[in-house]
Amino acid sequence: GPKVLQIPSHQIIDMGQMVTLNCDPVSNHLYFYWYKQILGQQMEFLVNFYNGKVMEKSKLFKDQFSVERPDGSYFTLKIQPTALEDSAVYFCASSFGRRSGNTLYFGEGSRLIVV
Amino acid sequence: GDSVTQTEGQVALSEEDFLTIHCNYSASGYPTLFWYVQYPGEGPQLLFRASRDKEKGSSRGFEATYDKGTTSFHLRKASVQESDSAVYYCALSDGGTGANTGKLTFGHGTILRVHP
């Protein structure tokens, strides 16, 4: 099926530093999403993005978070500065359209450990 | 807001047992309902979806029927295999029409362990 690629797969970072998580979505998809999953817990929506703009963000999407997709390249999630509670697996997803039946395709996740 | 409730947190079965994982939802409007499966170290993969009342989704022997009356989308499989061991998520999409943005809202997930 369609593949979403995420880089890096793992990253360990000192608290307070900046981290950028990269996502290469499915090539003809137009809508992009980030989800957060703390170990053993459910998938939680962070943000979605379309046409260069954030469409919706949850209360988990703190002021230290930002997303962008410059010039159709990677869709990125930046956290600056990082905090201990940001340790989680971050999943990127993309979809072709957001009409009824919108199906999201997920990457394999970026495991972030903040120490 | 929208929500999805999965009753079972963990299910342990033997091969060839019958599986049921209960899913109920709460949403305004007419959501699309999904079952996703997640294997260790991977992202969730779509199992199947259903968009209309009484529509049955199915894949790999798993099935669920959209029931608007009881707001349910229970996952069933007649005979599970060890390879079915994974985490199963029920989810809904607000469909992205009007002011909705098409995001998925997930249930807490059900860990399925199938023993040989």
Side-chain angles (χ1 to χ4, degrees):
Chain A
K3 292 286 187 188
V4 173
L5 300 176
Q6 290 188 239
I7 302 167
S9 58
H10 295 79
Q11 183 146 9
I12 301 173
I13 196 163
D14 291 327
M15 183 176 62
Q17 289 198 315
M18 181 192 75
V19 66
T20 300
L21 306 180
N22 299 290
C23 172
D24 187 10
V26 178
S27 62
N28 61 344
H29 284 186
L30 303 173
Y31 295 85
F32 313 112
Y33 307 78
W34 283 103
Y35 280 77
K36 177 180 180 181
Q37 186 178 45
I38 295 175
L39 186 65
Q41 299 184 24
Q42 75 181 111
M43 298 281 290
E44 296 190 276
F45 170 76
L46 284 177
V47 65
N48 55 3
F49 189 86
Y50 167 72
N51 198 25
K53 296 180 190 140
V54 169
M55 297 171 63
E56 183 180 355
K57 55 187 179 182
S58 73
K59 61 185 181 213
L60 295 178
F61 193 79
K62 305 180 296 184
D63 291 344
Q64 297 89 329
F65 288 31
S66 62
V67 290
E68 63 176 355
R69 193 183 187 214
D71 301 323
S73 60
Y74 287 146
F75 174 52
T76 63
L77 172 66
K78 185 183 294 186
I79 308 174
Q80 181 178 25
T82 50
L84 294 176
E85 61 265 27
D86 297 331
S87 296
V89 181
Y90 291 84
F91 289 97
C92 175
S94 68
S95 69
F96 180 70
R98 61 183 178 98
R99 294 192 179 277
S100 182
N102 184 48
T103 297
L104 272 62
Y105 294 89
F106 287 83
E108 297 199 343
S110 292
R111 181 178 297 277
L112 176 65
I113 299 172
V114 182
V115 297
Chain B
D2 297 345
S3 67
V4 177
T5 301
Q6 290 178 236
T7 310
E8 295 86 358
Q10 295 190 53
V11 175
L13 296 173
S14 300
E15 280 195 324
E16 301 183 12
D17 280 353
F18 189 91
L19 168 71
T20 301
I21 299 176
H22 294 94
C23 172
N24 288 89
Y25 69 90
S26 173
S28 55
Y30 212 134
T32 294
L33 303 176
F34 300 78
W35 276 101
Y36 277 80
V37 58
Q38 185 177 28
Y39 298 100
E42 298 183 12
Q45 303 171 19
L46 177 69
L47 201 50
F48 55 80
R49 71 183 195 204
S51 301
R52 298 181 303 278
D53 191 22
K54 302 295 183 277
E55 180 180 355
K56 182 161 81 173
S58 63
S59 175
R60 305 186 227 167
F62 292 91
E63 62 179 40
T65 300
Y66 193 136
D67 190 330
K68 198 167 188 298
T70 58
T71 60
S72 66
F73 193 54
H74 305 318
L75 181 69
R76 294 187 167 92
K77 186 173 185 182
S79 176
V80 294
Q81 303 301 311
E82 191 177 3
S83 58
D84 294 327
S85 297
V87 181
Y88 292 82
Y89 289 99
C90 185
L92 69 82
S93 171
D94 60 19
T97 56
N100 298 324
T101 62
K103 73 175 187 289
L104 282 182
T105 299
F106 284 85
H108 277 82
T110 299
I111 301 171
L112 172 64
R113 292 194 177 92
V114 181
H115 305 287

